[in-house]
């Protein structure tokens, strides 16, 4: 296993509600990261091809058309979009972590918030569906299951991923820690508004507050705190990969509503960054595609790009002297966590084998031999 690993996090926006175009964008970014010698590239939550932010900003009665578009532009886990990404990962010899709204084969409208870790040979290493949709996401996504609570054992270390609010779930996080996770990917949406502004921004002291002075959710701090806690407890590196909000998303979601548009434009943008095994921020870098020059960057927030970091996996070892939360710092005689990793299905059929007429047992013939 290699100990020197180059990580890449794509801080990018989808081509909103276009699975075909967003897949092409993902393929270009994978090729770009591979050219820059990255071993792993992570994409944001629900990247192909939309995060359903409209459910936070508009009443459900106004969102039927957007939900139908969401269903149409979501993808199957074995569909052509994923096949194209897998082929690119294999061609470029790079590991890919991809967030996507997943269509189910068992329903015309069931969607999951999914993340897939694809190996550098194009094989699916982990296919995870978010356990519990958070807040307004329940209007779009169904609950997942424990099938994807797995760590991919790769040539570049043991890699795990959780989606957004799952990084608040201590049991889900521990399930990955207990598999020896060395690189933890956490994926996030571009914005997370919890309050609509009721006055023009110019009249307000704080554009993140509503008319009552109550602040919007600080998703930058919340994301960093949760990811840092996990890195500290797991003694692993953290990849925080957040999405960008493109102007196409603002136009489509806001439609003719000025208040929705204002809320989207003024909402705090999430940040993409790296953390070390103590939970502290790491300095990353961006690479100029023309000159190949590297420029230091602590995070990406206001502009699209790929953030890189070079890490040494041996740095995951020292901290375990102090707290190995799935080893010497755990009391397995006191605590017992059981995780059901069965893929759940809506129905299980048991079919009776068709019998020939001469095979049908006669009434009263049980145990009788002629």
């Amino acid at each position: 296993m290699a100990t020197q690993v180059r990580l890449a996090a794509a801080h990018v926006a989808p081509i909103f509600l276009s699975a075909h175009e967003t897949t092409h964008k993902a393929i270009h970014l994978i090729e770009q990261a591979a050219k820059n010698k990255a071993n792993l590239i992570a994409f944001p939550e629900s990247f192909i091809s939309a995060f359903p932010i409209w459910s936070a900003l508009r009443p459900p009665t106004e969102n039927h058309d957007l939900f139908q578009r969401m269903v149409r532009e979501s993808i199957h886990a074995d569909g052509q979009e994923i096949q194209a990404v897998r082929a690119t990962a294999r061609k470029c010899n790079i590991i890919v972590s991809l967030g996507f709204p997943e269509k189910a084969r068992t329903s015309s409208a069931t969607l999951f918030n999914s993340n897939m870790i694809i190996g550098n040979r194009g094989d699916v290493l982990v296919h995870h569906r978010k356990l519990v949709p958070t807040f307004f996401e329940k209007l779009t996504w169904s609950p997942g299951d424990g099938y994807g609570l797995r760590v991919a054992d790769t040539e570049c270390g043991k890699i795990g991923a959780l989606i957004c609010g799952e990084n608040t779930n201590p049991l889900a996080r521990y399930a990955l820690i207990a598999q020896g996770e060395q690189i933890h990917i956490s994926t996030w949406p571009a914005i997370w508004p919890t309050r609509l502004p009721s006055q023009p921004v110019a009249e307000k002291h704080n554009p993140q507050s509503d008319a009552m002075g109550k602040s919007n959710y600080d998703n930058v701090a919340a994301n960093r705190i949760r990811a840092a806690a996990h890195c500290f407890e797991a003694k692993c590196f953290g990849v925080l990969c957040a999405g960008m909000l493109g102007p196409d998303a603002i136009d489509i979601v806001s439609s003719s509503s000025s208040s929705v548009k204002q809320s989207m434009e003024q909402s705090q943008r999430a940040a993409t960054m790296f953390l070390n095994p103590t939970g502290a921020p790491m300095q990353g870098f961006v690479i100029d595609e023309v000159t190949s020059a590297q420029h230091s960057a602590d995070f990406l927030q206001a502009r699209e790009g790929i953030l890189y970091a070079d890490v040494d996996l041996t740095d995951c070892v020292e901290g375990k002297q102090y707290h190995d939360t799935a080893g010497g710092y755990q009391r397995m005689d006191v605590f017992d966590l059981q995780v059901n990793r069965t893929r759940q299905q809506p129905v299980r059929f048991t079919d009776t084998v068709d019998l020939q007429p001469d095979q049908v047992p006669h009434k009263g013939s049980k145990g009788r031999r002629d």
Side-chain angles (χ1 to χ4, degrees):
M1 183 186 75
T3 59
Q4 305 291 325
V5 178
R6 176 164 290 185
L7 306 174
H11 187 72
V12 290
I15 310 303
F16 200 68
L17 288 171
S18 175
H20 180 75
E21 293 299 324
T22 306
T23 300
H24 279 297
K25 183 172 183 175
I27 288 171
H28 170 73
L29 291 163
I30 294 167
E31 292 171 340
Q32 180 178 326
K35 185 186 73 172
N36 290 326
K37 303 187 185 323
N39 303 107
L40 162 71
I41 181 170
F43 287 91
E45 177 180 9
S46 195
F47 179 61
I48 301 177
S49 60
F51 180 83
I53 193 62
W54 54 82
S55 292
L57 302 168
R58 298 165 33 150
T61 51
E62 296 179 3
N63 292 335
H64 304 305
D65 289 345
L66 282 170
F67 180 73
Q68 289 186 32
R69 289 183 65 178
M70 181 76 165
V71 171
R72 187 169 64 248
E73 297 299 331
S74 295
I75 62 179
H76 291 291
D78 58 353
Q80 61 183 0
E81 297 86 359
I82 293 294
Q83 296 297 335
V85 172
R86 291 176 61 184
T88 306
R90 181 172 59 251
K91 180 189 72 174
C92 295
N93 189 32
I94 188 172
I95 300 166
V96 178
S97 173
L98 179 68
F100 61 101
E102 178 190 350
K103 284 196 281 198
R105 295 289 186 187
T106 55
S107 169
S108 62
T110 291
L111 301 178
F112 298 101
N113 185 356
S114 296
N115 193 86
M116 189 174 283
I117 299 177
I118 299 167
N120 59 343
R121 295 179 178 85
D123 45 340
V124 176
L125 304 179
V126 181
H127 174 201
H128 177 55
R129 294 170 173 170
K130 188 175 181 181
L131 294 169
V132 182
T134 308
F135 192 27
F136 58 81
E137 294 174 2
K138 293 179 175 68
L139 296 170
T140 301
W141 285 312
S142 297
D145 53 37
Y147 180 84
L149 290 177
R150 303 169 190 268
V151 167
D153 194 351
T154 77
E155 300 169 4
C156 300
K158 295 183 176 182
I159 305 168
L162 290 174
I163 303 166
C164 194
E166 291 186 312
N167 292 278
T168 318
N169 187 322
L171 301 183
R173 295 194 301 103
Y174 181 76
L176 300 187
I177 293 172
Q179 296 174 69
E181 188 182 36
Q182 295 170 296
I183 299 170
H184 180 74
I185 301 166
S186 57
T187 62
W188 312 90
I191 59 173
W192 186 260
T194 55
R195 299 180 185 280
L196 284 174
S198 57
Q199 302 175 27
V201 173
E203 298 177 15
K204 299 170 67 176
H205 177 68
N206 179 5
Q208 292 297 318
S209 301
D210 65 8
M212 302 301 293
K214 294 184 177 181
S215 295
N216 235 315
Y217 191 80
D218 187 344
N219 64 319
V220 173
N223 297 354
R224 186 184 65 248
I225 289 167
R226 286 177 283 185
H230 184 81
C231 290
F232 183 83
E233 292 170 4
K235 312 305 179 193
C236 70
F237 288 97
V239 182
L240 283 77
C241 188
M244 279 282 292
L245 190 68
D248 54 346
I250 294 174
D251 290 343
I252 290 171
V253 174
S254 63
S255 186
S256 59
S257 171
S258 59
S259 63
V260 170
K261 183 175 183 180
Q262 178 183 325
S263 182
M264 295 183 75
E265 290 175 341
Q266 297 298 324
S267 288
Q268 182 188 42
R269 299 308 195 253
T272 290
M273 66 183 74
F274 299 105
L275 303 174
N276 71 20
T278 71
M282 290 182 60
Q283 186 174 79
F285 56 91
V286 295
I287 298 177
D288 188 300
E289 293 307 308
V290 177
T291 66
S292 297
Q294 296 183 11
H295 304 281
S296 297
D298 294 329
F299 58 89
L300 292 179
Q301 186 177 23
R303 60 187 176 91
E304 282 197 316
I306 301 177
L307 188 67
Y308 297 88
D310 292 326
V311 302
D312 185 345
L313 296 183
T314 61
D315 291 342
C316 297
V317 175
E318 180 179 328
K320 288 185 179 286
Q321 295 180 106
Y322 321 132
H323 316 102
D324 190 348
T325 55
Y329 210 69
Q330 181 57 271
R331 285 293 302 273
M332 286 169 272
D333 58 327
V334 177
F335 303 108
D336 181 15
L337 175 63
Q338 298 183 39
V339 179
N340 180 4
R341 294 202 304 196
T342 304
R343 176 64 89 205
Q344 300 299 302
Q345 301 293 342
V347 62
R348 297 183 185 276
F349 294 102
T350 301
D351 293 334
T352 302
V353 177
D354 292 333
L355 299 176
Q356 298 301 318
D358 61 345
Q359 294 176 308
V360 178
H362 296 289
K363 184 177 182 181
S365 64
K366 183 178 180 181
R368 179 178 172 178
R369 299 185 65 174
D370 294 329

